[in-house]
Amino acid sequence: MIQTACETSLPHDSMIVDAHVVVVDDDPRLRRLLQRYLSEQGFRVSAASSAQEARQVLGFMQPDALVLDITMPGENGLELTRELRREKLDFPILLLTARGEPEDRIIGLEAGADDYLAKPFEPRELLLRLKAHLRHFVPPAPSNNLRIVRLGDLEFDPVRGLLSNAEGVVHLTGGESALLSVLARHPNEILSRTDIAATLDMEEIGERAVDVQVTRLRRRIEPDPREPRFLQTVRGKGYVLKPGL
């Protein structure tokens, strides 16, 4: 676990503005703590509870860094690291593990990781290590680190805000496009109505306006809006976009 409280903070660094970090850990408490702490430090953060979920996120966007737990059910962090390096993905990978022996660190580095932190660790140390690696990482050509999102027969370009199919562009209103852009930046991540409303500057007209926009957007992207496949409701929590074929 994290050794100290996540309220520990450092001055914001212009280098990490808009940097996107994916946190992968099967421990929900640690995952939430890291997500909150790194968000408070200026990062955009996505989270996954397994290697499988991480692959889904990475299928639709390339992050600036990956914070990855080694010990997880199914495919572990070392295996995922090796596979990502075989796929020529070169963003920084920081491994987390409960084992801190030197030989374990060497195994992690040999797998292709850039760094290695043994639990428990100081959140400040994780932050400083992330910054150090990001300073030396040259990201691919600018594209807001976002990839085309597939929604069945539809494709959404988050950079241009365009939804299209084989026949051409599918018309979206400004509100629908803005909502889909927000969701596409956080695939497979639950976003509350409050967060969506704040991001879209809809706080004054209330969270009900978010529900209305969701209903309208489903008519554009869902084969059957009454049984949504891609834009799902998570009862009591909000909405989640689940791209796929």
Side-chain angles (χ1 to χ4, degrees):
M1 302 301 292
I2 292 181
Q3 195 168 36
T4 58
C6 278
E7 281 68 20
T8 305
S9 64
L10 294 174
H12 280 221
D13 188 330
S14 60
M15 177 273 302
I16 65 172
V17 172
D18 285 334
H20 197 136
V21 177
V22 176
V23 174
V24 188
D25 199 300
D26 63 326
D27 182 335
R29 180 174 178 270
L30 178 58
R31 196 168 62 245
R32 287 193 298 269
L33 286 170
L34 286 177
Q35 189 168 15
R36 186 185 72 183
Y37 177 71
L38 292 175
S39 296
E40 289 172 350
Q41 303 307 316
F43 290 97
R44 289 184 292 124
V45 185
S46 296
S49 62
S50 65
Q52 181 179 4
E53 279 192 20
R55 288 184 179 281
Q56 292 175 340
V57 174
L58 297 174
F60 302 104
M61 50 81 72
Q62 179 165 320
D64 296 291
L66 187 67
V67 176
L68 175 61
D69 185 35
I70 287 183
T71 308
M72 295 184 294
E75 185 179 13
N76 64 41
L78 288 175
E79 294 167 338
L80 179 58
T81 298
R82 292 190 186 101
E83 186 59 30
L84 293 176
R85 294 313 192 209
R86 278 196 289 267
E87 295 171 7
K88 307 300 182 184
L89 297 175
D90 60 353
F91 47 77
I93 297 177
L94 282 73
L95 293 177
L96 306 178
T97 181
R99 300 177 61 182
E101 298 298 324
E103 61 211 52
D104 298 317
R105 178 182 176 87
I106 292 171
I107 291 172
L109 296 176
E110 287 178 341
D114 298 274
D115 214 334
Y116 189 104
L117 272 176
K119 302 177 182 178
F121 58 86
E122 291 273 359
R124 282 178 58 131
E125 182 178 3
L126 173 63
L127 177 63
L128 291 170
R129 287 176 184 246
L130 268 176
K131 287 184 176 183
H133 289 293
L134 286 170
R135 288 190 185 98
H136 295 98
F137 174 59
V138 179
S143 64
N144 280 352
N145 288 329
L146 295 173
R147 297 181 179 179
I148 298 298
V149 174
R150 293 294 304 274
L151 302 165
D153 295 332
L154 297 169
E155 292 186 350
F156 181 66
D157 183 340
V159 177
R160 297 187 296 163
L162 292 180
L163 182 68
S164 61
N165 56 23
E167 299 177 359
V169 175
V170 176
H171 174 71
L172 294 176
T173 66
E176 292 165 353
S177 179
L179 173 60
L180 186 52
S181 293
V182 170
L183 295 167
R185 290 173 186 272
H186 302 274
N188 300 295
E189 181 179 337
I190 300 171
L191 299 181
S192 70
R193 291 173 174 83
T194 301
D195 289 340
I196 294 172
T199 302
L200 298 179
D201 293 324
M202 298 169 64
E203 295 165 294
E204 291 186 4
I205 55 178
E207 296 176 12
R208 175 59 184 155
V210 174
D211 298 332
V212 172
Q213 288 290 4
V214 166
T215 299
R216 292 175 176 171
L217 181 57
R218 280 175 173 158
R219 293 172 187 159
R220 309 285 190 187
I221 67 174
E222 297 287 356
D224 183 355
R226 294 168 299 180
E227 297 184 8
R229 290 171 48 200
F230 307 118
L231 178 45
Q232 298 182 10
T233 301
V234 181
R235 187 177 299 276
K237 294 184 178 181
Y239 297 104
V240 57
L241 185 70
K242 295 192 172 183
L245 300 177

